Amino acid sequence: MARTAGENRTSRLTARGAATRARILRAAAELMYVRGVGATTLDDVRAASDTSKSQLYHHFADKDALVREVIALQAGQLLERQRQRLERLQSLRGLELWRDAIVQRNALRNGAYGCELGSLANELADQNEDARLALAAHFTTWQALLAAGLRRMRDNGALRPEADAERLATGVMAALQGGYLLAQTARDTTPMEIALDMALDQVRAYAVEPGAAGDQA
Amino acid sequence: MARTAGENRTSRLTARGAATRARILRAAAELMYVRGVGATTLDDVRAASDTSKSQLYHHFADKDALVREVIALQAGQLLERQRQRLERLQSLRGLELWRDAIVQRNALRNGAYGCELGSLANELADQNEDARLALAAHFTTWQALLAAGLRRMRDNGALRPEADAERLATGVMAALQGGYLLAQTARDTTPMEIALDMALDQVRAYAVEPGAAGDQA
């Protein structure tokens, strides 16, 4: 209901109104990522997006509405990036490149802030059931992209038939999320690199190439 | 400086004052765990601990002081539990029992709230440098307990000499933290179980027993 109303309202926006809405949303997403959702007030968002109170409330009824759209924005951007990489995944080398891209992105900020979706999930999952359900669905989508890539690797012979793509995808995703948290706390991506390498070792354990299983450091 | 002042003040407390202080701290720890730090106000803590504003401020100068003590309380309890289990760790079976105990504890709340230290780290690491340093030190302690157990397993012959205890401990800790987050978001401990099992498979890959590596489901 709320979503439909929001979409109707969006469709009636002028170009200028749409630009204002996008500016508010970008500012809110940035603040909530860097400071956390709880520490971000609507006044902060208003100030950061250089909008008036009436503009803000015209586009977003309340903080929950803004949080809902921030989740959609962050998930949309993250899943689009992940889709581009993971839909082409078909080899262990490809999986290593996926790992490298994530680590490098995180190294740019010395591990700070963590995962765009993971940090929202940590803060919102127990407070806001709509947010939890949305975030759970986005994690499912993300993990399904990874699982599909691993199934492709199994189907093209890079992994042995007994490799359980769903199970491996869950393990890699947990290693990624745990790695983000340890890197955020240590302000150092090293634990994230180790965690991902160890999870990738579990994928390598199913590699068809002889000697590839479990020997990588 | 602040800590020394706090300890001096504590040492001057009457038994009744100490009980009040402990009641405030327990209420704050519970609220910050369940709702998050950002969403917990000093008024919430006052109401939940049934204390007056002057009592609260007598024991804790401000929210930062309370957060500092909440981190110490949660870390103290968690690390004491972990120490009791991990200091006896000397076999793969022991590692599986450690895993089972954590999963069972998390299953009691259907995965909600996540790890007592991990959720604080996620919310505070980028906002409060003192909190980040304290949490990083607690994670280091926790991981060192795990690494010491893995070294013991290597020294007593349960793991092969080439097992890198520090690396394995980092991977298991990341799997645990990522597992907590996925379980919290899904309200289901299954992803945590899979993540821990996959990380334990990496330990099993170094097991001395033939056939123990990589075959467990």
Side-chain angles (χ1 to χ4, degrees), chain A residues 19-33:
Chain A
T20 303
R21 187 181 191 282
R23 199 168 73 239
I24 295 169
L25 196 49
R26 274 198 309 274
E30 177 74 13
L31 284 169
M32 289 176 182
Y33 179 49

Side-chain angles (χ1 to χ4, degrees), chain B residues 13-204:
Chain B
L13 288 178
T14 60
R16 190 167 168 179
T20 304
R21 187 180 190 282
R23 198 168 74 237
I24 295 169
L25 197 49
R26 274 198 310 271
E30 176 73 15
L31 284 169
M32 290 178 182
Y33 179 49
V34 170
R35 294 191 193 168
V37 175
T40 300
T41 66
L42 289 183
D43 266 349
D44 295 334
V45 174
R46 204 186 41 66
S49 60
D50 196 21
T51 46
S52 68
K53 206 168 244 184
S54 71
Q55 281 177 309
L56 182 63
Y57 285 106
H58 175 71
H59 292 288
F60 302 95
D62 53 22
K63 189 170 170 180
D64 277 355
L66 196 51
V67 165
R68 190 165 54 235
E69 296 297 317
V70 164
I71 291 172
L73 177 72
Q74 294 284 29
Q77 291 177 347
L78 185 152
L79 291 175
E80 181 51 32
R81 279 198 311 274
Q82 290 294 303
R83 196 180 303 276
Q84 283 179 19
R85 283 210 165 257
L86 291 172
E87 281 187 349
R88 290 180 296 153
L89 179 63
Q90 50 186 333
S91 67
L92 281 171
R93 183 68 194 133
L95 198 59
E96 288 160 1
L97 290 173
W98 168 82
R99 172 257 189 228
D100 291 348
I102 289 184
V103 169
Q104 278 166 24
R105 200 179 149 83
N106 200 38
L108 288 178
R109 43 183 197 247
N110 255 334
Y113 315 134
C115 170
E116 287 89 343
L117 286 185
S119 56
L120 285 170
N122 185 295
E123 200 176 345
L124 294 170
D126 301 310
Q127 310 312 318
N128 180 333
E129 183 65 5
D130 287 344
R132 182 185 75 75
L133 290 170
L135 288 160
H138 295 313
F139 272 120
T140 300
T141 302
W142 190 358
Q143 210 171 292
L145 288 170
L146 196 51
L150 293 168
R151 266 196 309 276
R152 221 172 296 124
M153 288 167 64
R154 192 181 58 195
D155 293 347
N156 71 19
L159 298 178
R160 293 199 307 274
E162 63 269 32
D164 182 338
E166 307 297 331
R167 182 174 185 271
L168 289 171
T170 301
V172 170
M173 182 57 71
L176 174 59
Q177 292 299 324
Y180 266 121
L181 182 75
L182 297 182
Q184 183 184 2
T185 311
R187 279 285 160 93
D188 175 0
T189 57
T190 307
M192 178 193 224
E193 294 174 47
I194 293 172
L196 281 172
D197 286 341
M198 246 184 73
L200 263 51
D201 279 351
Q202 272 309 104
V203 179
R204 288 188 194 102

Side-chain angles (χ1 to χ4, degrees), chain A residues 38-80:
Chain A
T40 300
T41 67
L42 290 182
D43 265 350
D44 295 334
V45 173
R46 203 186 42 65
S49 60
D50 196 21
T51 47
S52 68
K53 206 168 244 183
S54 72
Q55 282 177 307
L56 182 63
Y57 285 106
H58 175 71
H59 293 288
F60 302 95
D62 53 22
K63 190 171 170 182
D64 276 356
L66 195 52
V67 165
R68 191 164 54 233
E69 296 298 317
V70 164
I71 292 172
L73 177 72
Q74 293 284 30
Q77 291 178 347
L78 185 151
L79 292 175
E80 181 51 32

Side-chain angles (χ1 to χ4, degrees), chain A residues 33-36 38-39 111-114 118-123 125-127 129 132-133 135-136 139 143 166-175 177-179 181-182 184-187 190-192 194-195 197-199 201-203 205-206 214 216-217, chain B residues 33-36 38-39 111-114 118-123 125-127 129 132-133 135-136 139 143 166-175 177-179 181-182 184-187 190-192 194-195 197-199 201-203 205-206 214 216-217:
Chain A
Y33 179 49
V34 170
R35 293 191 195 168
Y113 315 137
S119 56
L120 286 170
N122 184 295
E123 200 177 342
D126 301 309
Q127 311 311 316
E129 182 65 5
R132 183 185 75 76
L133 289 169
L135 288 160
F139 271 120
Q143 210 171 294
E166 306 298 332
R167 181 173 185 271
L168 290 170
T170 300
V172 171
M173 182 58 70
Q177 292 300 323
L181 181 75
L182 297 182
Q184 183 183 2
T185 311
R187 278 286 161 90
T190 307
M192 177 193 225
I194 293 172
D197 287 342
M198 245 183 73
D201 279 351
Q202 273 307 104
V203 179
Y206 293 96
Q216 277 89 349
Chain B
Y33 179 49
V34 170
R35 294 191 193 168
Y113 315 134
S119 56
L120 285 170
N122 185 295
E123 200 176 345
D126 301 310
Q127 310 312 318
E129 183 65 5
R132 182 185 75 75
L133 290 170
L135 288 160
F139 272 120
Q143 210 171 292
E166 307 297 331
R167 182 174 185 271
L168 289 171
T170 301
V172 170
M173 182 57 71
Q177 292 299 324
L181 182 75
L182 297 182
Q184 183 184 2
T185 311
R187 279 285 160 93
T190 307
M192 178 193 224
I194 293 172
D197 286 341
M198 246 184 73
D201 279 351
Q202 272 309 104
V203 179
Y206 293 96
Q216 277 86 348

